[in-house]
Amino acid sequence: MATPSHIAIIMDGNGRWAKSRGKQRLAGHRAGADAVERVLGYCSDAGVKYLTLYAFSTENWKRPAAEVSGLMKLFSAYLKRKLHLFKKKQVRLRVIGRRGDLSPALQKEIARAERETAGFDRQLLLAVSYGGRAEIADAARRIAEDAKAGRLDPADIDEAAFANYLYAPDVPEPELIIRTSGEMRVSNFLLWECAYSEFYITPVLWPDFDRAEFDKALAAYASRERRLGGVEAAPEGAKK
Ligand code: IPE
Ligand code: IPE
Ligand code: MG
């Protein structure tokens, strides 16, 4: 069975999960953080090398201040508490997004986790203050800077050259994108990278996402015919 090397997940539905239990939204986010740890284990068992998780979008800043600060505290606590686990499980942690939007303390926490796990092969990419449009705009700005400084000839800008300016240019595009909570939209996630991703949407809310759901997503992926614009299924490994 073909297994994706890179899975990306839009972890949605924490608020509804909490509401259905008469709890505060933040309780849903805490339960969502527990789901992250489980899913890391499923990916390791399945041999998935890269996992990207959409944790906080550029649009999520418009949520009530208390929810935003609760989420930021949760990231910070998560990084501090789980760093030893990432090391033990040999997982390289990376954050993609506009990290300059985050507090200096959280930025330091991220830099430390990235530094201390930099040598590992398996990767967890956390998308925080991430927007697909922001990523493309940030890439365009850096390309313009390089062109202005004479480091880049505009005639050389093609898709591959452009992709070198994205947040994690060395990571292959996700073959599979999962969204929980049943929403049929991309909500500004990996706009460039999702060009040929397979999508799997489940009504299950993120805190309830379990191994059975993960296996269903993998089975759905394995059953898809990925033509990548051609006329027959691309041989495995044909797409980077
Ligand atoms: C996803 O859950 C987590 C974040 C966006 C931070 P939501 O908070 O969006 O949960 P719902 O969609 O309101 O249920
Ligand atoms: C997408 O979920 C962002 C994350 C999961 C971090 P949202 O709940 O913010 O998306 P919309 O508002 O339903 O599109
Ligand atoms: Mg949501």
Side-chain angles (χ1 to χ4, degrees):
M1 177 169 114
T3 303
S5 67
H6 182 181
I7 296 180
I9 306 182
I10 303 175
M11 311 185 284
D12 200 9
N14 295 349
R16 278 162 281 176
W17 183 91
K19 194 172 175 201
S20 73
R21 285 166 174 73
K23 295 181 179 180
Q24 300 286 316
R25 292 180 60 84
L26 267 171
H29 296 314
R30 279 193 291 271
D34 294 338
V36 167
E37 192 154 338
R38 293 199 302 271
V39 171
L40 259 176
Y42 310 153
C43 284
S44 152
D45 295 345
V48 173
K49 187 169 171 195
Y50 305 92
L51 174 66
T52 298
L53 298 175
Y54 202 6
F56 193 88
S57 72
T58 46
E59 287 71 35
N60 288 149
W61 290 107
K62 49 180 179 227
R63 293 191 178 196
E67 180 171 352
V68 170
S69 72
L71 276 165
M72 294 301 150
K73 279 198 195 111
L74 194 60
F75 295 141
S76 171
Y78 186 82
L79 287 180
K80 270 190 225 157
R81 254 188 300 126
K82 302 294 175 189
L83 182 55
H84 74 280
L85 251 156
F86 294 137
K87 289 190 195 166
K88 192 170 138 208
K89 298 190 169 162
Q90 308 214 319
V91 174
R92 175 176 174 192
L93 182 104
R94 294 167 85 173
V95 169
I96 55 170
R98 287 190 164 156
R99 66 174 75 192
D101 295 346
L102 308 175
S103 75
L106 182 52
Q107 288 184 48
K108 252 176 92 177
E109 215 56 70
I110 291 169
R112 173 172 170 221
E114 288 185 331
R115 194 173 57 242
E116 295 188 11
T117 61
F120 301 133
D121 268 357
R122 277 184 58 220
Q123 300 193 18
L124 170 63
L125 293 96
L126 278 183
V128 182
S129 198
Y130 174 89
R133 287 182 175 176
E135 180 175 27
I136 293 168
D138 289 350
R141 188 181 331 100
R142 288 176 45 229
I143 286 172
E145 284 164 5
D146 278 358
K148 196 172 163 197
R151 291 188 291 262
L152 179 72
D153 181 350
D156 291 336
I157 301 172
D158 56 10
E159 288 97 317
F162 191 97
N164 273 329
Y165 287 83
L166 297 171
Y167 293 141
D170 52 305
V171 174
E173 292 163 12
E175 296 98 328
L176 174 64
I177 296 182
I178 298 172
R179 183 165 189 156
T180 57
S181 89
E183 306 295 353
M184 301 282 184
R185 54 177 171 264
V186 72
S187 300
N188 204 10
F189 190 43
L190 302 180
L191 295 185
W192 176 281
E193 297 86 343
C194 78
Y196 268 102
S197 303
E198 298 293 331
F199 282 82
Y200 178 83
I201 293 168
T202 169
V204 168
L205 304 174
W206 175 248
D208 291 328
F209 192 85
D210 59 9
R211 191 182 285 273
E213 268 308 311
F214 183 79
D215 288 346
K216 273 192 336 207
L218 284 189
Y221 173 78
S223 75
R224 306 272 176 93
E225 193 192 344
R226 303 191 75 209
R227 287 183 292 273
L228 309 176
V231 287
E232 56 190 51
E236 224 175 298
K239 183 84 169 88
K240 73 151 194 165

